[in-house]
Amino acid sequence: MTSVKLFVAVAVLGFGISGYGQNAKDTTLLLNHRIKIGASFSPDYCYRNLTNENGSVFNQGDIISRNSSETHKLGYSAGLGFSFLATSHIEFELDFLYSNKGYIHNYSGTQPINPNNTSLDQATLNYYYLDVPLKINFIFGKGEIKFI
């Protein structure tokens, strides 16, 4: 709770708070007119679809079986972003994003783990990533309406 009070005090004492909708930014702290810090959150719809790139007939049965038994998983990305307005038309942005992705595999029939269980079971495969994208934003427009 103390960090929340400190954040509010810093924001009120000199930094403007601004929100903008580009890149799913929820909040943006304006340190001055050139440097911004923001937080972001994004829900992700994750799935995979296997393809036979080399044309081998040996893998085709496995590919068809997995594609029919795997379904989507809801994941997310969340993190912090920093941007620097170099000129009135060019902005550099660096984000640190933690992502949860993956898919759900549905098993049916007997399983090697428990041959007595013939019900449908699921396994959720989670993959965790740290993404660090560096972006260059080109800004067009005048007045209150700008395009990034």
Side-chain angles (χ1 to χ4, degrees):
M1 187 56 104
T2 305
S3 61
V4 173
K5 290 180 183 177
L6 176 64
F7 174 77
V8 171
V10 168
V12 170
L13 290 176
F15 302 136
I17 295 180
S18 166
Y20 66 99
Q22 295 294 326
N23 298 323
K25 296 289 183 196
D26 296 329
T27 61
T28 302
L29 176 63
L30 224 70
L31 295 179
N32 60 36
H33 293 290
R34 298 178 77 97
I35 300 172
K36 294 183 271 186
I37 300 173
S40 65
F41 176 80
S42 172
D44 296 334
Y45 180 81
C46 309
Y47 67 95
R48 76 175 188 171
N49 187 26
L50 300 176
T51 59
N52 192 351
E53 295 293 326
N54 64 3
S56 171
V57 295
F58 298 111
N59 298 340
Q60 194 62 36
D62 289 337
I63 291 172
I64 292 170
S65 172
R66 286 181 181 255
N67 284 341
S68 64
S69 64
E70 294 175 356
T71 59
H72 73 278
K73 172 191 169 309
L74 294 177
Y76 63 89
S77 296
L80 292 174
F82 305 91
S83 66
F84 173 72
L85 187 62
T87 69
S88 62
H89 297 290
I90 297 175
E91 178 182 57
F92 295 99
E93 185 173 349
L94 178 67
D95 293 331
F96 296 95
L97 302 171
Y98 175 79
S99 299
N100 176 320
K101 300 178 188 215
Y103 60 94
I104 297 174
H105 187 90
N106 296 307
Y107 297 101
S108 62
T110 60
Q111 299 300 310
I113 298 170
N114 185 1
N116 297 325
N117 183 4
T118 58
S119 64
L120 181 69
D121 291 326
Q122 289 185 340
T124 301
L125 287 92
N126 290 301
Y127 299 105
Y128 304 101
Y129 298 97
L130 179 62
D131 300 318
V132 185
L134 173 62
K135 299 182 269 184
I136 299 175
N137 298 322
F138 298 99
I139 304 166
F140 302 98
K142 295 187 181 218
E144 294 293 321
I145 299 176
K146 298 203 186 229
F147 299 97
I148 298 177

